[in-house]
Amino acid sequence: SSNLKIWCRQQKSKYRLLGTLNIQYMFGIVGIPVTELAIAAQASGIKFIGMRNEQAASYAASAVGYLTGRPGVCLVVSGPGFVHALAGMANANMNCWPLIVIGGSSDRNQETMGAFQEFPQVEACRLYSKFAARPSSLEAIPAVIEKAVRNSIYGRPGACYIDIPGDFVNLQVNKSSVKYVECCPAPPISMAEEMAVSQAVSFIVHSRKPLLIIGKGAAYSRAENSIRKLVDQCGLPFLPTPMGKGVVSDSHPCCVAAARSRALQYADVIVLLGARLNWILHFGLPLRFQPDVKIIQVDICAEELGNNVRPVAALLGDIKAVTEQLLGQLNKKLWKYPSNTDWWKELRAKVKSNEETSKALSLQKGLPMNYYTVFHHVRELLPKDCILISEGANTMDIGRTMLPNYEPRHRLDAGTFGTMGVGLGFAIAAAMVAKDQDPKQRVVCIEGDSAFGFSGMEVETMCRYSLPIIIIIVNNNGIYSGLDADTWKEILKLGEPSACVPPVSLLPNAHYEQIMSAFGGKGYFVQTPEELQAALKASLAEKHVPSLINIMIDPQSDRKKQVSVPSFSLLP
């Protein structure tokens, strides 16, 4: 209506600051008191994506932060809506991704009175964010927003929260009294001390069994060109962490991901480039690592240096800048690690052995299919530049080894926090970014059936915004493992399902593809390799419609047997 257009023009100046700060995407669910904020955001040029759950919205906004380097915004209502978004804030903080959450809250004159959805939101999110504040007045909003954006991207990136009282939304303010703040500059580039760089280089050139570990911090800092030069010129074996895949292509001859355990266990000098010695890397401790391994740690966060293992060289700074420092000194020494060492022979032999084992599993002919067979056929058809999102237990772990990445920031998964339910939110975020940057790029979300259940209703969001996302569900009828239909029927004969059905079991042969079909997308139920190939080809041909391929596999399918490593204690 004409009144709405007038109102939007009035609100545009009030909320234009997010656009001024180069914020492009807002995800959320509207309601009292934030509906007007979403409309105003659209009026100021920000893309608003209405989600079906605040958790998925917060996951999507955080993924935008990782993919673009500028925070996405998650807009939520007060109380329960805000609480749902805490999951995304915690996930963003643990992954070190920039995120802004804007939450509506109770009117100021109703505080402590039991107002609708009243909740101590600023206090509640302190543990989940780098910065949290409620502007004291309309005039203060620009300064608070700028500080939140700056905090989200400076230093170690993370989540920030801004609380907007309901009575703020439609207040009027004298424009001349508002002090607008300029867009905060890009984070300053910090470099490591030259003495520390020299120490690191000395350890590298004297190592017998060197190893680079490339983390998602390297991907976030856009360090791929520098790290590729380091690998190419120095001939160093490298191991990517799950979201560090693609910083240097998985197809690179120096990639030893297929020999991960062997590389970690026997390396004598390890260079950590934007990777943390947390649970993903077994804390850097024996018996997964050598007791006397020499760690060279490169990180943007000073507090991370020396965590769990004291490094022989601690390089504090931007991953890209510090890598270039290392490369400069190594080039002066004209040093390159020989390609014919016993270490390289050992790693190559292990890579070959493990790849042959995986290949044998992938070529098994029986039905139902196993994980390896599914990923073999998926890998054959996926475009090399597609963005892969993956979550689930075996689905994510086996997919990481079977599905290569060739470009940085092209894999998103459960991450440092091990969060289930991120997949569809991540996929929507990736598709929105791809739509603006490279419309030909495909987004493929590969999930277990359990993982899909956390946010399955977001397929409606995909259909509503015509996002041609391909969802592949590797369906084993359960969590970790499930039951076939016949066994399920026999168990139900024993009595009440809540008393006899295994807690890991889900409904056998569930037709998740019909959920996608219900909203106008394409759904495929797959049981054979031929059906899988046909469904994936048809899905890749779709340009404006999302697809869901529901692949039935053996409920007892599992990972290939792992080499057993004795457990260890964090205690001395």
Side-chain angles (χ1 to χ4, degrees):
S1 69
S2 58
N3 288 339
L4 179 60
K5 292 179 181 178
I6 295 171
W7 184 89
C8 284
R9 286 196 296 269
Q10 293 172 342
Q11 299 301 305
K12 184 175 180 179
S13 62
K14 187 188 296 186
Y15 299 109
R16 70 183 179 186
L17 186 65
L18 284 173
T20 303
L21 291 169
N22 197 21
I23 303 300
Q24 302 179 57
Y25 306 96
M26 178 181 286
F27 303 83
I29 299 177
V30 297
I32 298 171
V34 300
T35 302
E36 293 87 349
L37 269 67
I39 296 172
Q42 286 182 315
S44 65
I46 294 173
K47 294 180 174 66
F48 179 81
I49 300 91
M51 306 287 282
R52 300 304 299 265
N53 183 280
E54 290 90 356
Q55 280 192 13
S58 60
Y59 295 145
S62 67
V64 161
Y66 174 64
L67 293 170
T68 68
R70 302 294 295 189
V73 173
C74 175
L75 179 68
V76 298
V77 299
S78 52
F82 161 82
V83 171
H84 290 168
L86 289 177
M89 295 179 71
N91 190 64
N93 256 15
M94 291 295 184
N95 280 313
C96 309
W97 293 354
L99 166 68
I100 304 293
V101 174
I102 297 178
S105 61
S106 308
D107 291 3
R108 291 170 298 168
N109 63 356
Q110 296 176 356
E111 285 186 3
T112 75
M113 296 176 64
F116 175 68
Q117 294 184 335
E118 183 176 2
F119 193 72
Q121 294 173 188
V122 176
E123 295 87 344
C125 72
R126 297 287 188 196
L127 289 175
Y128 307 92
S129 60
K130 291 181 65 180
F131 170 82
R134 169 190 278 193
S136 58
S137 63
L138 289 182
E139 290 84 352
I141 287 177
V144 171
I145 291 180
E146 189 276 338
K147 184 172 285 190
V149 172
R150 179 159 38 87
N151 271 268
S152 75
I153 60 176
Y154 277 34
R156 171 181 278 180
C160 295
Y161 175 69
I162 303 170
D163 195 72
I164 302 295
D167 56 305
F168 269 24
V169 175
N170 289 305
L171 282 181
Q172 298 296 315
V173 63
N174 188 333
K175 193 173 181 180
S176 62
S177 67
V178 178
K179 294 182 179 180
Y180 288 102
V181 183
E182 292 183 3
C183 179
C184 61
I189 303 300
S190 55
M191 301 174 70
E193 296 178 353
E194 285 298 326
M195 183 175 293
V197 176
S198 297
Q199 289 176 336
V201 167
S202 178
F203 282 109
I204 293 171
V205 299
H206 289 100
S207 63
R208 292 185 304 107
K209 298 182 177 182
L211 179 67
L212 293 180
I213 298 181
I214 303 170
K216 68 176 176 291
Y220 180 82
S221 69
R222 272 59 178 173
E224 52 267 19
N225 291 336
S226 301
I227 295 176
R228 287 168 187 168
K229 287 181 183 178
L230 179 64
V231 171
D232 288 337
Q233 294 182 25
C234 296
L236 291 166
F238 74 89
L239 174 70
T241 63
M243 275 191 274
K245 283 164 61 70
V247 171
V248 182
S249 173
D250 286 344
S251 63
H252 195 286
C254 289
C255 180
V256 295
R260 182 182 189 273
S261 295
R262 182 64 58 90
L264 294 178
Q265 195 169 4
Y266 294 103
D268 63 353
V269 173
I270 293 178
V271 184
L272 292 172
L273 296 173
R276 289 173 279 177
L277 291 176
N278 53 23
W279 67 276
I280 294 176
L281 290 173
H282 314 287
F283 313 104
L285 298 175
L287 297 165
R288 291 285 188 176
F289 291 74
Q290 289 292 304
D292 58 350
V293 64
K294 296 176 176 62
I295 300 292
I296 297 167
Q297 195 169 6
V298 184
D299 205 284
I300 192 68
C301 178
E303 291 82 356
E304 192 62 40
L305 300 174
N307 192 29
N308 295 327
V309 175
R310 187 171 297 280
V312 295
L315 308 184
L316 177 64
D318 175 78
I319 307 300
K320 178 181 178 181
V322 176
T323 301
E324 290 173 352
Q325 287 181 279
L326 289 169
L327 190 57
Q329 291 206 22
L330 287 165
N331 283 340
K332 288 180 182 179
K333 294 180 179 292
L334 301 176
W335 180 83
K336 183 169 184 175
Y337 185 66
S339 61
N340 60 349
T341 62
D342 290 341
W343 179 230
W344 259 125
K345 292 175 183 177
E346 181 181 349
L347 291 174
R348 289 185 182 119
K350 191 62 177 174
V351 166
K352 183 179 179 181
S353 173
N354 286 343
E355 287 180 344
E356 288 176 349
T357 300
S358 295
K359 184 177 180 180
L361 289 168
S362 69
L363 296 178
Q364 289 182 358
K365 299 295 186 180
L367 292 177
M369 293 181 284
N370 62 35
Y371 285 103
Y372 294 87
T373 303
V374 168
F375 286 125
H376 169 76
H377 291 286
V378 169
R379 182 178 60 196
E380 293 296 306
L381 293 174
L382 285 187
K384 285 190 173 183
D385 66 343
C386 71
I387 297 177
L388 287 172
I389 290 93
S390 183
E391 64 171 329
N394 287 334
T395 300
M396 183 174 68
D397 291 339
I398 299 172
R400 183 184 70 248
T401 63
M402 292 286 292
L403 299 176
N405 287 96
Y406 304 93
E407 300 293 337
R409 297 170 297 280
H410 279 48
R411 176 185 165 89
L412 297 96
D413 61 26
T416 306
F417 208 29
T419 309
M420 293 287 283
V422 296
L424 301 195
F426 282 2
I428 290 168
M432 290 300 301
V433 173
K435 195 174 184 179
D436 291 338
Q437 296 182 358
D438 184 3
K440 294 181 181 179
Q441 191 172 58
R442 301 310 302 265
V443 175
V444 180
C445 182
I446 304 178
E447 309 212 311
D449 48 332
S450 171
F452 176 76
F454 282 80
S455 54
M457 191 54 70
E458 297 302 336
V459 299
E460 187 274 334
T461 307
M462 297 175 185
C463 292
R464 187 170 7 117
Y465 290 98
S466 300
L467 300 175
I469 297 165
I470 299 173
I471 301 172
I472 298 175
I473 298 178
V474 186
N475 189 346
N476 68 346
N477 297 339
I479 304 168
Y480 304 114
S481 62
L483 301 173
D484 59 51
D486 291 337
T487 305
W488 176 267
K489 291 176 182 176
E490 292 301 316
I491 287 181
L492 290 183
K493 292 178 182 178
L494 299 176
E496 167 60 36
S498 62
C500 60
V501 170
V504 297
S505 298
L506 298 174
L507 188 68
N509 303 333
H511 283 265
Y512 298 110
E513 79 285 350
Q514 293 182 7
I515 300 175
M516 178 66 83
S517 300
F519 296 114
K522 301 292 185 179
Y524 303 91
F525 187 75
V526 165
Q527 294 178 295
T528 68
E530 293 76 19
E531 290 173 349
L532 170 55
Q533 292 172 353
L536 187 50
K537 288 178 181 177
S539 298
L540 288 168
E542 293 288 349
K543 302 301 182 184
H544 305 289
V545 178
S547 303
L548 192 154
I549 305 172
N550 184 18
I551 306 171
M552 303 307 303
I553 67 167
D554 183 349
Q556 299 304 310
S557 179
D558 203 351
R559 301 173 62 185
K560 66 182 178 67
K561 291 184 179 180
Q562 305 294 302
V563 176
S564 178
V565 176
S567 60
F568 58 85
S569 172
L570 292 177
L571 299 175

